[in-house]
Amino acid sequence: MLSTTGRHGPIDELYRSLDTEDAPSAVSVILKLRGETCDIDCLYCYEKRKEAPGGARIGAGQVRRLAEIFPGRHLAVELHGGEPLTAGREHVAKVLRELAAQQTVVRVSIQTNGVLLDDAWLDLFDSLYPGLQIGISLDGDAEGNSWRIGYDGEPVYPKVAAALRLLAARGRKAGVIVAVTPAVLGRAARVLDHLAGFEAVNAISFVPCFDTAVQRPTAASGRRLPVSRQLQQTAVGAEGGPAWAISPEQYAEFVLAATARWIEAGYYTRLKLEPAVSTIRRLRGLGSGFCHFSNLKCDHVFTLYPDGRLGSCDELPWPQAQLTRLDQVTEESEIAAAQRRLPLLNQGKDLMERCTSCSYRSACGGGCIATRWRYEKAGDQDAYCDYRMRMIDGIAALLAQPAHTDGAWCRTARWRPRIPNSMRDISGFLARWNRVDAARLPVRLHTSAYGNINTVGEPGIHEADDIDPSHPQWHLAIEAGVRPLVDAVTGLWNCVTYDSCQGHPYDGLGMAPVERRIGILPRDRAEYARVASALCRAATAAAPILPASIQVTLGRAKLECENSGRIVPVLDLILLPAPGHDWPAYFAAVDEATQVVTDALGRERPTGYECACPNPSPKASLPAGVPR
């Protein structure tokens, strides 16, 4: 149930409120230059579904007013629509001159369908705002653009493709936004290849059409419906939602297939791909400017309409997202106060509460509030979270084993970061492991009353000396309960273990119990791919015969070298309590489960790259209901 509580402390790292004292954090301003007015009639257009009055234009005076409201804060401005070029060259020129005159405006971009783009427009951009970033809306190849049509029902793809060729001829670059609909599902590689073939394209962003809740067509003025609206009426009446809508799971599979192709074809050297790049950055512990992966979410995104309505992100439902009117505020503090009062934003922040305890939060960043809100309203927020986790799992695999992209389809190995997770000298440890004749110094081994073996003999997480099978103290250093798993992986599989734990209940200590696990440090990316596949096969074989209170989990994580700062991908095999079972039941059965998993490991070897999970096959034909 959604609430409107104002207490949001635990989510600050995921969702930062607008702080008038925090001037360095920029805000994004979307200028709906013509409101919903557009010269084409995409059937899935969310802006036209708002059914706001069209025809008016945002003027230079309104741009100046925005800069006055945010005098000390950097503004990233996007000219948007509808179609911003329908405002006309003279009017757009005035807006660009005003933007160029504002010192706080650090970036200006325009998102256009490209139909009107010509040499005269590019001359204007070059003369008034040479740094203007151009975004083109194009859903891949001609087949993928089935939903992007004119009011007459005719395709607009040829005109947009011509605009991209014009940009290339002028030496300009552009990003492309692709709406992922059923018209591109199963064809991610072909769609990406097609877009990469345009010389002007240097960035591609795949955005999902999560529109299953749309139940009625866009309103139309006049007694006679244009062809496009007739097609939309038919599409909206499809079973399970509009015929252009996709599910979160379908989107995740598409993104993974596109990312795999992006890597295989080497497009990553010249094309930025979203949401892949932001996911990779977060997996590496880096920040992202994409609000779905950043804590600068809806409180740092504003939308201005020609009639002066000022609100939050344009993807949120309107009028619920409206904060105020431009002529009713004079300073940023009033905007911040309006945000604190707005029920929709408070509801969005509340939706983030579940993220604070999620193990994926550092990679996910919480996602899109507008989409979360829609799925919460439909009672299915889990579907959104599942897609985010699936996408992160797959991209984590691609990042660890880029030469073996089939790892993206493994559903057994999950992203399970461990913090802290470091080793003093990874290269030295691997070199010593591989040399039986290397000198090995004595290590410090002390055992706690709870079976922990570490340098101090205390329960909990403490330093443990790095050791290898050729060390004379090897078996003394491995806790007894986990030794069968370690022996199978190091002996039969010839793999390197960087960590192991037999699991500890810590009764009476007030400490959380810990599970039984082993950590594997692959020597290189090819070995990583083979080991991950073999672990998947072994875990899948073991799962049906494990004790009811135990489940086996494979974790993808990263290990940091304390000496060099180098980060390497590692794999963890973990025995966890099964859902509905407590820790006493777990520890009563963990030895039996260990034997089951050890036997499964014994029947496998880390050879080949095929895991136990199905690899989806492409679907070549268009789904029913897609206009041709």
Side-chain angles (χ1 to χ4, degrees):
M1 182 176 181
L2 297 176
S3 65
T4 56
T5 176
R7 294 178 285 105
H8 308 299
I11 63 168
D12 286 346
E13 293 184 6
L14 292 163
Y15 188 128
R16 191 193 305 180
S17 297
L18 185 68
D19 183 353
T20 55
E21 303 299 319
D22 180 26
S25 63
V27 297
S28 298
V29 181
I30 302 167
L31 299 183
K32 295 289 185 179
L33 212 55
R34 291 296 311 281
E36 65 174 24
T37 302
C38 189
D39 51 344
I40 67 174
D41 200 30
C42 305
L43 273 59
Y44 53 64
C45 179
Y46 69 87
E47 192 61 48
K48 290 180 181 178
R49 288 203 297 267
K50 297 174 185 176
E51 298 172 10
R57 298 179 292 189
I58 288 177
Q62 291 172 297
V63 172
R64 190 180 315 116
R65 186 80 191 97
L66 270 173
E68 292 169 352
I69 293 172
F70 297 101
R73 192 180 294 275
H74 288 167
L75 305 179
V77 177
E78 181 175 10
L79 307 181
H80 208 276
E83 172 51 49
L85 298 188
T86 60
R89 273 189 280 273
E90 183 177 342
H91 190 84
V92 172
K94 293 177 182 178
V95 171
L96 288 177
R97 287 191 189 97
E98 187 60 45
L99 289 168
Q102 299 299 330
Q103 294 184 353
T104 55
V105 174
V106 294
R107 184 175 71 251
V108 178
S109 60
I110 186 168
Q111 187 64 37
T112 172
N113 59 38
V115 170
L116 297 177
L117 200 63
D118 58 15
D119 281 307
W121 274 112
L122 294 177
D123 288 342
L124 185 148
F125 298 158
D126 288 344
S127 64
L128 298 180
Y129 212 103
L132 180 72
Q133 298 177 5
I134 299 175
I136 301 289
S137 298
L138 185 70
D139 299 345
D141 55 12
E143 186 177 314
N145 281 271
S146 300
W147 305 105
R148 298 187 64 81
I149 57 178
Y151 288 91
D152 58 1
E154 292 301 308
V156 298
Y157 170 83
K159 296 179 181 178
V160 186
L164 284 172
R165 289 191 289 269
L166 173 62
L167 286 169
R170 297 280 298 247
R172 296 291 296 255
K173 296 294 183 181
V176 173
I177 290 183
V178 180
V180 179
T181 70
V184 299
L185 292 181
R187 303 193 306 113
R190 275 182 284 168
V191 167
L192 188 64
D193 287 345
H194 183 81
L195 291 172
F198 289 103
E199 184 182 345
V201 174
N202 65 356
I204 299 169
S205 180
F206 290 115
V207 298
C209 275
F210 290 156
D211 287 343
T212 52
V214 175
Q215 298 178 342
R216 61 189 182 92
T218 305
S221 58
R223 297 165 59 183
R224 189 172 182 181
L225 281 180
V227 175
S228 56
R229 298 298 170 89
Q230 295 175 38
L231 290 170
Q232 189 194 53
Q233 283 188 343
T234 301
V236 169
E239 185 178 351
W244 67 76
I246 64 169
S247 70
E249 182 178 3
Q250 288 173 321
Y251 178 62
E253 298 299 305
F254 181 90
V255 168
L256 291 178
T259 306
R261 179 59 183 167
W262 179 64
I263 294 171
E264 289 170 341
Y267 296 143
Y268 61 88
T269 62
R270 60 184 180 90
L271 285 176
K272 180 181 180 183
L273 184 69
E274 290 289 7
V277 168
S278 287
T279 306
I280 290 170
R281 288 186 62 83
R282 292 302 298 255
L283 286 168
R284 287 178 167 169
L286 303 172
S288 168
F290 190 178
C291 61
H292 294 193
F293 293 85
S294 164
N295 63 354
L296 300 183
K297 297 189 183 294
C298 302
D299 280 26
H300 288 75
V301 180
F302 298 94
T303 305
L304 178 66
Y305 283 89
D307 61 1
R309 287 173 296 144
L310 180 65
S312 189
C313 172
D314 64 336
E315 292 191 33
L316 286 166
W318 283 67
Q320 298 98 312
Q322 182 173 337
L323 292 164
T324 183
R325 297 186 63 84
L326 193 62
D327 58 2
Q328 294 175 348
V329 290
T330 58
E331 57 186 31
E332 182 180 323
S333 61
E334 297 173 74
I335 301 289
Q339 289 177 330
R340 291 192 294 269
R341 292 191 301 267
L342 194 68
L344 186 66
L345 289 183
N346 282 315
Q347 292 169 0
K349 293 173 186 177
D350 283 349
L351 290 178
M352 302 294 293
E353 292 290 346
R354 69 186 294 171
C355 301
T356 60
S357 59
C358 178
S359 62
Y360 285 80
R361 66 185 180 278
S362 63
C364 173
C368 172
I369 300 300
T371 308
R372 281 192 176 281
W373 188 89
R374 289 197 297 272
Y375 275 92
E376 175 71 15
K377 190 176 179 181
D380 195 18
Q381 194 179 165
D382 285 347
Y384 183 75
C385 293
D386 289 346
Y387 121 67
R388 299 283 293 181
M389 291 187 282
R390 175 75 191 97
M391 181 177 71
I392 291 167
D393 290 340
I395 292 180
L398 293 171
L399 189 58
Q401 51 183 84
H404 305 283
T405 55
D406 282 355
W409 308 116
C410 181
R411 291 176 174 265
T412 305
R414 311 292 299 271
W415 174 246
R416 293 182 60 90
R418 295 173 57 184
I419 302 173
N421 202 30
S422 64
M423 176 179 283
R424 183 171 292 111
D425 181 7
I426 293 177
S427 296
F429 175 69
L430 286 173
R432 190 166 59 251
W433 187 290
N434 293 327
R435 285 190 56 196
V436 177
D437 60 343
R440 289 168 172 83
L441 299 175
V443 296
R444 300 161 292 173
L445 299 179
H446 298 281
T447 305
S448 78
Y450 292 84
N452 309 81
I453 300 177
N454 50 49
T455 60
V456 294
E458 296 291 338
I461 299 175
H462 295 280
E463 182 184 12
D465 289 331
D466 301 324
I467 194 168
D468 63 274
S470 296
H471 196 287
Q473 294 172 277
W474 167 252
H475 271 285
L476 295 175
I478 307 300
E479 295 170 0
V482 76
R483 194 171 294 158
L485 296 174
V486 173
D487 287 346
V489 167
T490 59
L492 296 175
W493 285 26
N494 190 32
C495 288
V496 178
T497 53
Y498 74 93
D499 178 56
S500 66
C501 178
Q502 71 175 10
H504 307 283
Y506 295 139
D507 296 332
L509 286 186
M511 296 171 58
V514 295
E515 68 280 356
R516 185 164 295 182
R517 66 176 184 270
I518 58 170
I520 301 173
L521 171 59
R523 296 173 177 85
D524 53 41
R525 294 184 184 278
E527 184 177 84
Y528 179 102
R530 293 193 299 271
V531 171
S533 297
L535 285 173
C536 174
R537 297 193 299 268
T540 301
I545 52 178
L546 284 172
S549 58
I550 307 283
Q551 67 178 14
V552 60
T553 298
L554 303 183
R556 301 186 191 271
K558 55 187 180 181
L559 180 69
E560 181 178 3
C561 179
E562 296 168 7
N563 285 353
S564 67
R566 175 189 172 207
I567 303 291
V568 298
V570 292
L571 294 158
D572 296 325
L573 187 152
I574 313 156
L575 298 179
L576 288 171
H581 295 270
D582 57 17
W583 283 104
Y586 171 84
F587 283 108
V590 71
D591 287 338
E592 179 186 349
T594 298
Q595 189 58 55
V596 170
V597 175
T598 300
D599 291 344
L601 293 171
R603 291 189 292 271
E604 287 290 346
R605 294 294 184 275
T607 56
Y609 302 101
E610 186 175 343
C611 75
C613 303
N615 190 333
S617 56
K619 303 175 182 64
S621 59
L622 271 176
V626 177
R628 299 173 185 270

